Amino acid sequence: ELKVEQNPLFLSMQEGKNYTIYCNYSTTSDRLYWYRQDPGKSLESLFVLLSNGAVKQEGRLMASLDTKARLSTLHITAAVHDLSATYFCAVVYNDMRFGAGTRLTVKP
Amino acid sequence: GAVVSQHPSRVICKSGTSVKIECRSLDFQATTMFWYRQFPKQSLMLMATSNEGSKATYEQGVEKDKFLINHASLTLSTLTVTSAHPEDSSFYICSARRDPNTEAFFGQGTRLTVV
């Protein structure tokens, strides 16, 4: 059974700081996604990573994928308050399985 | 991205009654739809996978007689929570994909409260 482990589960950051969220998974996968979820809302797609070494960036967020290590990272650069949300990684293997989520709070 | 519409966005029902949630793919044909449940401050847990024209595949621990899933067309799947109880109160989210090699898109979610 595919297992997806995400850490940290909680992250409190100061504005302007950098940090990385990690996502490990247990079996070979076709694709890996990163999503953002605001309270009471559904998921917003951030990145889809399809191949080993894939790197994608959007604004202050950058995601990468190492399929050999079965590891993806979501790096936050110079955090701002608007990035406060819960971030999920999800791995596709027949269906889609989610990590536990990282609840990010960015403080002034 | 493609649009998946979920309805209703919020519903309150009495214990013992049934409630139906709809998930529609508006601009593509979805061969597969997924239903997830999310309890407060937790992750999304896959409940079942439904393929158009076939019986849904339920995850271990999900009661198929309680959570009825119908995927009668390529644009519509429904989840019916039967004989609802307060512990069924949760956020239910559907997703739909065109085929196994394409991205799945998520509905807006349904907040179910059973009183």
Side-chain angles (χ1 to χ4, degrees), chain A residues 38-65:
Chain A
D38 291 296
K41 305 290 186 182
S42 188
L43 302 178
E44 174 189 350
S45 179
L46 296 175
F47 300 107
V48 53
L49 302 169
L50 300 176
S51 59
N52 188 43
V55 177
K56 290 195 174 180
Q57 183 166 3
E58 181 72 35
R60 301 174 187 275
L61 301 178
M62 184 174 71
S64 66
L65 178 62

mmCIF file of all heavy atoms in Angstrom, chain A residues 38-65:
data_model
loop_
_atom_site.group_PDB
_atom_site.id
_atom_site.type_symbol
_atom_site.label_atom_id
_atom_site.label_comp_id
_atom_site.label_asym_id
_atom_site.label_seq_id
_atom_site.Cartn_x
_atom_site.Cartn_y
_atom_site.Cartn_z
ATOM 1 N N ASP A 38 -6.999 26.393 1.940
ATOM 2 C CA ASP A 38 -7.353 27.411 2.910
ATOM 3 C C ASP A 38 -8.507 26.897 3.755
ATOM 4 O O ASP A 38 -9.275 26.034 3.313
ATOM 5 C CB ASP A 38 -7.715 28.708 2.204
ATOM 6 C CG ASP A 38 -6.498 29.352 1.551
ATOM 7 O OD1 ASP A 38 -5.573 29.736 2.302
ATOM 8 O OD2 ASP A 38 -6.452 29.428 0.309
ATOM 9 N N PRO A 39 -8.658 27.418 4.978
ATOM 10 C CA PRO A 39 -9.705 26.909 5.875
ATOM 11 C C PRO A 39 -11.088 26.923 5.228
ATOM 12 O O PRO A 39 -11.505 27.932 4.651
ATOM 13 C CB PRO A 39 -9.633 27.869 7.063
ATOM 14 C CG PRO A 39 -8.218 28.338 7.073
ATOM 15 C CD PRO A 39 -7.824 28.450 5.619
ATOM 16 N N GLY A 40 -11.784 25.812 5.310
ATOM 17 C CA GLY A 40 -13.136 25.714 4.781
ATOM 18 C C GLY A 40 -13.223 25.591 3.278
ATOM 19 O O GLY A 40 -14.327 25.564 2.724
ATOM 20 N N LYS A 41 -12.099 25.524 2.618
ATOM 21 C CA LYS A 41 -12.080 25.462 1.152
ATOM 22 C C LYS A 41 -11.573 24.126 0.653
ATOM 23 O O LYS A 41 -11.020 23.331 1.417
ATOM 24 C CB LYS A 41 -11.173 26.578 0.593
ATOM 25 C CG LYS A 41 -11.533 27.970 1.046
ATOM 26 C CD LYS A 41 -12.823 28.440 0.435
ATOM 27 C CE LYS A 41 -13.082 29.896 0.778
ATOM 28 N NZ LYS A 41 -14.375 30.352 0.208
ATOM 29 N N SER A 42 -11.756 23.915 -0.641
ATOM 30 C CA SER A 42 -11.225 22.720 -1.270
ATOM 31 C C SER A 42 -9.751 22.947 -1.629
ATOM 32 O O SER A 42 -9.125 23.884 -1.158
ATOM 33 C CB SER A 42 -12.060 22.383 -2.515
ATOM 34 O OG SER A 42 -11.670 21.129 -3.035
ATOM 35 N N LEU A 43 -9.225 22.106 -2.473
ATOM 36 C CA LEU A 43 -7.807 22.140 -2.790
ATOM 37 C C LEU A 43 -7.519 23.030 -3.998
ATOM 38 O O LEU A 43 -8.253 23.030 -4.976
ATOM 39 C CB LEU A 43 -7.299 20.733 -3.090
ATOM 40 C CG LEU A 43 -7.481 19.705 -1.986
ATOM 41 C CD1 LEU A 43 -6.966 18.359 -2.443
ATOM 42 C CD2 LEU A 43 -6.785 20.140 -0.719
ATOM 43 N N GLU A 44 -6.411 23.736 -3.916
ATOM 44 C CA GLU A 44 -5.914 24.522 -5.041
ATOM 45 C C GLU A 44 -4.631 23.876 -5.529
ATOM 46 O O GLU A 44 -3.691 23.684 -4.744
ATOM 47 C CB GLU A 44 -5.631 25.956 -4.599
ATOM 48 C CG GLU A 44 -4.972 26.819 -5.657
ATOM 49 C CD GLU A 44 -4.507 28.157 -5.119
ATOM 50 O OE1 GLU A 44 -4.861 28.495 -3.974
ATOM 51 O OE2 GLU A 44 -3.775 28.847 -5.840
ATOM 52 N N SER A 45 -4.598 23.524 -6.793
ATOM 53 C CA SER A 45 -3.415 22.868 -7.344
ATOM 54 C C SER A 45 -2.268 23.869 -7.472
ATOM 55 O O SER A 45 -2.435 24.954 -8.018
ATOM 56 C CB SER A 45 -3.756 22.279 -8.712
ATOM 57 O OG SER A 45 -2.609 21.653 -9.268
ATOM 58 N N LEU A 46 -1.106 23.472 -6.954
ATOM 59 C CA LEU A 46 0.078 24.328 -7.059
ATOM 60 C C LEU A 46 1.040 23.813 -8.126
ATOM 61 O O LEU A 46 1.452 24.557 -9.011
ATOM 62 C CB LEU A 46 0.801 24.380 -5.709
ATOM 63 C CG LEU A 46 0.047 25.002 -4.537
ATOM 64 C CD1 LEU A 46 0.845 24.864 -3.254
ATOM 65 C CD2 LEU A 46 -0.275 26.455 -4.817
ATOM 66 N N PHE A 47 1.427 22.542 -7.983
ATOM 67 C CA PHE A 47 2.420 21.985 -8.901
ATOM 68 C C PHE A 47 2.089 20.529 -9.199
ATOM 69 O O PHE A 47 1.552 19.826 -8.347
ATOM 70 C CB PHE A 47 3.823 22.014 -8.276
ATOM 71 C CG PHE A 47 4.320 23.378 -7.909
ATOM 72 C CD1 PHE A 47 4.388 23.752 -6.574
ATOM 73 C CD2 PHE A 47 4.718 24.279 -8.882
ATOM 74 C CE1 PHE A 47 4.844 25.013 -6.219
ATOM 75 C CE2 PHE A 47 5.182 25.536 -8.530
ATOM 76 C CZ PHE A 47 5.243 25.906 -7.202
ATOM 77 N N VAL A 48 2.448 20.113 -10.394
ATOM 78 C CA VAL A 48 2.463 18.694 -10.723
ATOM 79 C C VAL A 48 3.868 18.375 -11.199
ATOM 80 O O VAL A 48 4.423 19.081 -12.054
ATOM 81 C CB VAL A 48 1.395 18.323 -11.775
ATOM 82 C CG1 VAL A 48 1.497 19.186 -13.010
ATOM 83 C CG2 VAL A 48 1.498 16.859 -12.137
ATOM 84 N N LEU A 49 4.443 17.337 -10.640
ATOM 85 C CA LEU A 49 5.814 16.938 -10.948
ATOM 86 C C LEU A 49 5.773 15.554 -11.571
ATOM 87 O O LEU A 49 5.246 14.614 -10.970
ATOM 88 C CB LEU A 49 6.659 16.931 -9.675
ATOM 89 C CG LEU A 49 6.714 18.278 -8.946
ATOM 90 C CD1 LEU A 49 7.341 18.126 -7.573
ATOM 91 C CD2 LEU A 49 7.497 19.290 -9.769
ATOM 92 N N LEU A 50 6.335 15.441 -12.754
ATOM 93 C CA LEU A 50 6.149 14.215 -13.528
ATOM 94 C C LEU A 50 7.392 13.345 -13.646
ATOM 95 O O LEU A 50 7.284 12.165 -13.950
ATOM 96 C CB LEU A 50 5.664 14.571 -14.938
ATOM 97 C CG LEU A 50 4.330 15.323 -15.013
ATOM 98 C CD1 LEU A 50 4.023 15.695 -16.449
ATOM 99 C CD2 LEU A 50 3.210 14.460 -14.439
ATOM 100 N N SER A 51 8.556 13.919 -13.448
ATOM 101 C CA SER A 51 9.745 13.120 -13.726
ATOM 102 C C SER A 51 10.857 13.434 -12.744
ATOM 103 O O SER A 51 10.854 14.464 -12.071
ATOM 104 C CB SER A 51 10.235 13.398 -15.146
ATOM 105 O OG SER A 51 10.533 14.763 -15.296
ATOM 106 N N ASN A 52 11.822 12.537 -12.684
ATOM 107 C CA ASN A 52 12.940 12.702 -11.777
ATOM 108 C C ASN A 52 13.692 13.994 -12.102
ATOM 109 O O ASN A 52 13.979 14.276 -13.261
ATOM 110 C CB ASN A 52 13.885 11.514 -11.867
ATOM 111 C CG ASN A 52 14.955 11.565 -10.800
ATOM 112 O OD1 ASN A 52 14.666 11.881 -9.639
ATOM 113 N ND2 ASN A 52 16.184 11.274 -11.174
ATOM 114 N N GLY A 53 13.983 14.758 -11.055
ATOM 115 C CA GLY A 53 14.706 16.001 -11.266
ATOM 116 C C GLY A 53 13.831 17.183 -11.625
ATOM 117 O O GLY A 53 14.331 18.298 -11.806
ATOM 118 N N ALA A 54 12.523 16.938 -11.731
ATOM 119 C CA ALA A 54 11.615 18.035 -12.092
ATOM 120 C C ALA A 54 11.648 19.119 -11.022
ATOM 121 O O ALA A 54 11.664 18.832 -9.828
ATOM 122 C CB ALA A 54 10.200 17.512 -12.264
ATOM 123 N N VAL A 55 11.696 20.351 -11.477
ATOM 124 C CA VAL A 55 11.654 21.508 -10.584
ATOM 125 C C VAL A 55 10.679 22.511 -11.176
ATOM 126 O O VAL A 55 10.759 22.834 -12.364
ATOM 127 C CB VAL A 55 13.036 22.168 -10.426
ATOM 128 C CG1 VAL A 55 12.917 23.409 -9.545
ATOM 129 C CG2 VAL A 55 14.042 21.191 -9.834
ATOM 130 N N LYS A 56 9.778 22.983 -10.333
ATOM 131 C CA LYS A 56 8.831 23.993 -10.793
ATOM 132 C C LYS A 56 8.763 25.120 -9.779
ATOM 133 O O LYS A 56 8.846 24.867 -8.562
ATOM 134 C CB LYS A 56 7.460 23.384 -11.020
ATOM 135 C CG LYS A 56 7.422 22.444 -12.217
ATOM 136 C CD LYS A 56 6.011 22.146 -12.628
ATOM 137 C CE LYS A 56 5.998 21.323 -13.903
ATOM 138 N NZ LYS A 56 4.629 21.004 -14.354
ATOM 139 N N GLN A 57 8.598 26.325 -10.275
ATOM 140 C CA GLN A 57 8.552 27.475 -9.380
ATOM 141 C C GLN A 57 7.393 28.378 -9.765
ATOM 142 O O GLN A 57 7.082 28.575 -10.935
ATOM 143 C CB GLN A 57 9.859 28.263 -9.447
ATOM 144 C CG GLN A 57 9.912 29.438 -8.491
ATOM 145 C CD GLN A 57 11.308 29.996 -8.308
ATOM 146 O OE1 GLN A 57 12.254 29.539 -8.943
ATOM 147 N NE2 GLN A 57 11.449 30.967 -7.431
ATOM 148 N N GLU A 58 6.751 28.893 -8.722
ATOM 149 C CA GLU A 58 5.687 29.862 -8.905
ATOM 150 C C GLU A 58 5.764 30.842 -7.752
ATOM 151 O O GLU A 58 5.460 30.488 -6.606
ATOM 152 C CB GLU A 58 4.329 29.165 -8.937
ATOM 153 C CG GLU A 58 3.139 30.086 -9.152
ATOM 154 C CD GLU A 58 3.064 30.620 -10.559
ATOM 155 O OE1 GLU A 58 3.431 29.883 -11.488
ATOM 156 O OE2 GLU A 58 2.623 31.765 -10.719
ATOM 157 N N GLY A 59 6.188 32.042 -8.065
ATOM 158 C CA GLY A 59 6.303 33.044 -7.014
ATOM 159 C C GLY A 59 7.326 32.627 -5.960
ATOM 160 O O GLY A 59 8.468 32.304 -6.276
ATOM 161 N N ARG A 60 6.918 32.594 -4.723
ATOM 162 C CA ARG A 60 7.815 32.257 -3.613
ATOM 163 C C ARG A 60 7.880 30.765 -3.322
ATOM 164 O O ARG A 60 8.523 30.355 -2.348
ATOM 165 C CB ARG A 60 7.351 32.995 -2.358
ATOM 166 C CG ARG A 60 7.331 34.507 -2.520
ATOM 167 C CD ARG A 60 6.739 35.200 -1.307
ATOM 168 N NE ARG A 60 6.569 36.622 -1.547
ATOM 169 C CZ ARG A 60 7.532 37.511 -1.362
ATOM 170 N NH1 ARG A 60 8.706 37.127 -0.893
ATOM 171 N NH2 ARG A 60 7.302 38.788 -1.611
ATOM 172 N N LEU A 61 7.208 29.965 -4.113
ATOM 173 C CA LEU A 61 7.173 28.518 -3.909
ATOM 174 C C LEU A 61 7.929 27.809 -5.025
ATOM 175 O O LEU A 61 7.784 28.159 -6.197
ATOM 176 C CB LEU A 61 5.733 28.013 -3.871
ATOM 177 C CG LEU A 61 4.825 28.599 -2.804
ATOM 178 C CD1 LEU A 61 3.415 28.025 -2.945
ATOM 179 C CD2 LEU A 61 5.366 28.331 -1.414
ATOM 180 N N MET A 62 8.713 26.814 -4.621
ATOM 181 C CA MET A 62 9.423 25.988 -5.582
ATOM 182 C C MET A 62 9.328 24.535 -5.150
ATOM 183 O O MET A 62 9.614 24.202 -3.998
ATOM 184 C CB MET A 62 10.893 26.391 -5.690
ATOM 185 C CG MET A 62 11.666 25.617 -6.742
ATOM 186 S SD MET A 62 13.335 26.211 -6.967
ATOM 187 C CE MET A 62 14.094 25.682 -5.446
ATOM 188 N N ALA A 63 8.949 23.681 -6.095
ATOM 189 C CA ALA A 63 8.798 22.257 -5.794
ATOM 190 C C ALA A 63 9.779 21.459 -6.625
ATOM 191 O O ALA A 63 10.064 21.805 -7.769
ATOM 192 C CB ALA A 63 7.374 21.805 -6.081
ATOM 193 N N SER A 64 10.284 20.378 -6.039
ATOM 194 C CA SER A 64 11.213 19.512 -6.757
ATOM 195 C C SER A 64 10.872 18.065 -6.474
ATOM 196 O O SER A 64 10.188 17.745 -5.498
ATOM 197 C CB SER A 64 12.650 19.802 -6.319
ATOM 198 O OG SER A 64 12.842 19.443 -4.956
ATOM 199 N N LEU A 65 11.385 17.191 -7.336
ATOM 200 C CA LEU A 65 11.082 15.769 -7.207
ATOM 201 C C LEU A 65 12.329 14.942 -7.450
ATOM 202 O O LEU A 65 13.022 15.127 -8.466
ATOM 203 C CB LEU A 65 9.997 15.358 -8.206
ATOM 204 C CG LEU A 65 9.608 13.886 -8.232
ATOM 205 C CD1 LEU A 65 9.023 13.446 -6.895
ATOM 206 C CD2 LEU A 65 8.607 13.614 -9.365
#
